[in-house]
Amino acid sequence: MTRTSSSNDTRGLAGPRLRRVAEKLGGAVVVLFGAATAAFLAQAALPGDRATVILNIRAGQAIERTPAELAQINDQYGLQHPLLVQYIDYIRGLIVGDLGVSYQQFKPVSEVILQQIGPTIALTVTAIALAWLIMIVWVTLTAGRTGRFGGVGSVVDTTSAGLPHYWLGIILLLVFSLGLGWFPVISGPSLVGIVLPALTLAIPLAGFMGQATRTEFERSLEQPFVISARMRGMGDTGVRLRHVLRHSVLPAITLSGWALGATISGAVVVETVFSRPGIGKVLVGAVNSQDMPVVTGIVVLIAALYVVANLLVDVAYTLVDPRLKSA
Amino acid sequence: MSRKTTTATALIALGVVSALSLTACASGTAGTASSATKVDGGTIVYGHQQEPACVFGGWIEQAYLSSQVLDGLVSLDENHEVVPWLAESWNVSDDQLTWTFTLKDGVTFTDGSALTAGVVAYNFDYWLAGGNSTASVWLAGYYASAVAVDDLTLTVNLSKPYPRLADNLTQGYFGIQSQEALETRTDEENCEAPIGSGAFVVDTWNRGEDILLTRNEDYTSPPANAKHTGAAYVDSIDWKFVADPTTRAASLSAGETDVIYDVPAVQWKSLEAEGFDLQKYVTPGRPQQLTFNTSTGPFVDEDVRKAFAYSVDRKSLVETIGQGVIPYEGNGGVSQATPGYSQAAADLYSLDTDEADSLLDAAGWTGRDADGYRTKDGETLDVVLPYGAGTIINADGASILQGLQEQAKATGFKVELIPVPQSALFAGEYSQPDEKDISVGYWTAVTAGILAINWNQSTAEAPNYNNASFTNYPDLEAIILEANSTVDVDAQNALYEKAQEYIADHALAIGVYDRLSTLAVSPSLKDVWQENAQGGPVFYDAYFVE
């Protein structure tokens, strides 16, 4: 957090605010550039010749290819150039918004992503929202309790935080879709179909955020302002919801930025189990087939989403904790 | 996610399914036996396991899709006879070098252009020029040119006799596309929605989800082995991609899909008990087999190869893990569904550890290291076996390989099983002779001509990277090439059998199990069948009953 000097403050708010925006944007560009470079290098470091991969994937055969076959593909995608030239071409493309053309689907990467990003964002946002809902209800009900019920809260947090997505997904699918018939087995992009996939992502996430929130929650319960509120005659639930909760959710807000990445990686598994379209499935397919333009495109996109999420986390911080507004 | 976890969870899940199915499925799918009446229209929801990049291309996933949309010149019937499709008749010149195909009159592609001999000739050249690498592999070495004599007469000129040309053309890779579409549309358009004259047309492809195929109302060109003529009975096919096998089976039980592909062996019996029609097709061609690297490493010695073959009980392993669904295959050359199959070659090796031990002793592998593996001059009998995990070898296959590893240990082989992810595999990792001692894999085909692809010599002018033994066997090649060009079917099969026996006698490759195409079909859907070239689902004749 940068603190501005008082001399700046006298000139009005426009200066520092602009500078902060510029700093944030600069940071975002650095992050995106770094992600793009890392994705490029990681893919370039993979074993094997890329033209061979492209041909073998198209044919479903794992064999060596003749120079004539390779030359055609190298020429088409510029793979005969030195890696540095390919890298410069790639970065230049990114700057003008050209992510390249998929090796396997013959179409622009931007189109591949645009077709798939919607369902994944819907899934991710729903999952994070559900995780918050589950976490708040559970923590508010159970934190700081003593007696027999005392330990249950945090045990449930820890257990659910460790549930593997694949296992949880299959169990939810078999119980609620196949057994009870409440939800479709093949989710597709439908509205009702989002519930189980989102829950699959939300339950471990809620456990994870719950662990962080519970500690803060229990610490806040012992603060003087809680005692004074109680002395004013406020009921337990009121105290928990109106005073304590607000103090305890800051770590969870920070985690939400991270959660975006976690849910996108979880989406890979969940989209497969529930047969949902989405970017996670495309990413797996693209990595498997070394469809490099698609992989790098998605990595850059996820980096961009991270940047946006972190900006939102900053905003949320200031809303929840007004003391940070002056910063 | 590792395969092991997947299998374990699937087993847990299966337990839950069986518990639930007692209550949930009673009201479900069974019970359409009596008074079923045929209904017109409807949408077949089909759950397939893998989404290819394009509707048309060189591997089996694409062949299944393209055969819904593209008609072939010829089709294969259930007796393995070639029957008319777009070609009404065909004949071969006496010197076996000129094939003449007479096309059906009045067939149009779904873009309105006409099917002519010129268009078909264009398709041949297009495959050979890289339009379809698998089609090209089948024709390479034989194809010279394709010429349109008139609108409906095509001649295909060969450089060498190839009497099973028509058989090979029945595979889905040889679907005929509109020349106008190939010439005027972009690669992307032809990839996503190739234009053929088939019973269905690609309507929309929702990537990651499904492809909607709609009925070609003006369809006039079904293959001769179809059950009816005219347009398909159903309005459309919703070709969904459901990667997870547990989800696929669950979707069928829940009535969300009408047909699913690739039924896991563990779910076979329970789906059958629920009243689904289970269909199984053993693909002809190369079975899942082990080919020994005979150019370098311990398997250069024929006795060591034979010792390995005697060390393993492939049959009981496959029968145990395959639960009676996956057939055992002893033949390392071709599968039992292939014409010209040699039972003698398949039966040559079975578990005989005494024989394996004496062969290894004779070969000088007499020492033992601390773990009990055999050694020779201080070197351990270490063999590297990489396999395409999750792609070429599925979960059942991986378990079978683990069983082989365990069995071979008894006679002193240290088998290093290396699961290779798809990207690394297709990038050429473990493709070199110094990187592996055993190659594993399959290759679907309709004739034993697959032997030529797998065993022809690799030369500077014509490299053959499909020969996994990495050694040229001129004697074997001579037999196969002679077979490929032999007109009389019995004589040809005798030669193909001789080739398989050569492979077995020299222990160049041993079979393990047959590759399957399986379907589970809802009882409310009738007349779904598996085409006979590669086992793909045929929905043209299918109809719903009430």
Side-chain angles (χ1 to χ4, degrees), chain B residues 401-414:
Chain B
L401 291 181
Q402 281 154 17
L404 290 175
Q405 176 187 41
E406 200 54 42
Q407 291 178 343
K409 193 176 173 180
T411 50
F413 282 95
K414 183 179 187 179

Side-chain angles (χ1 to χ4, degrees), chain B residues 220-443:
Chain B
T220 57
S221 48
N225 54 328
K227 297 178 196 291
H228 80 293
T229 56
Y233 294 128
V234 295
D235 298 323
S236 50
I237 307 167
D238 186 357
W239 191 289
K240 281 187 187 291
F241 302 108
V242 186
D244 191 86
T246 312
T247 314
R248 259 198 323 278
S251 75
L252 187 69
S253 296
E256 283 175 39
T257 46
D258 303 304
V259 187
I260 60 164
Y261 179 72
D262 197 26
V263 183
V266 285
Q267 261 135 327
W268 189 271
K269 288 219 168 70
S270 60
L271 285 176
E272 209 167 32
E274 284 177 48
F276 294 102
D277 170 26
L278 275 288
Q279 298 186 21
K280 178 165 90 172
Y281 173 88
V282 176
T283 49
R286 186 163 229 211
Q288 294 283 18
Q289 47 71 50
L290 311 174
T291 302
F292 299 106
N293 175 359
T294 56
S295 74
T296 176
F299 291 130
V300 171
D301 189 335
E302 188 171 311
D303 282 345
V304 180
R305 304 199 291 268
K306 287 181 175 163
F308 189 91
Y310 283 122
S311 297
V312 287
D313 188 357
R314 295 165 285 162
K315 190 162 192 270
S316 69
L317 201 55
V318 171
E319 281 167 1
T320 308
I321 294 167
Q323 314 228 349
V325 178
I326 304 172
Y328 162 67
E329 179 57 80
N331 193 320
V334 296
S335 77
Q336 53 192 273
T338 319
Y341 172 81
S342 163
Q343 190 63 48
D347 292 341
L348 198 56
Y349 304 100
S350 55
L351 182 67
D352 187 343
T353 47
D354 292 340
E355 182 67 25
D357 280 327
S358 58
L359 281 166
L360 285 174
D361 288 340
W365 293 94
T366 45
R368 293 271 184 176
D369 69 6
D371 299 317
Y373 296 113
R374 284 188 181 251
T375 58
K376 179 180 174 179
D377 307 328
E379 240 179 282
T380 303
L381 184 51
D382 192 326
V383 296
V384 179
L385 199 177
Y387 65 98
T391 47
I392 289 165
I393 301 293
N394 64 10
D396 290 334
S399 307
I400 291 170
L401 291 181
Q402 281 154 17
L404 290 175
Q405 176 187 41
E406 200 54 42
Q407 291 178 343
K409 193 176 173 180
T411 50
F413 282 95
K414 183 179 187 179
V415 180
E416 282 184 43
L417 269 188
I418 303 172
V420 187
Q422 176 179 298
S423 63
L425 190 78
F426 287 161
E429 233 184 308
Y430 296 103
S431 64
Q432 300 300 318
D434 55 355
E435 292 176 314
K436 58 176 173 180
D437 299 300
I438 300 179
S439 301
V440 54
Y442 70 93
W443 193 326

Side-chain angles (χ1 to χ4, degrees), chain A residues 89-101 108-110:
Chain A
D89 277 350
Y90 159 67
I91 294 294
R92 194 167 45 206
L94 274 189
I95 292 169
V96 298
D98 176 10
L99 296 173
V101 175
V109 171
S110 47

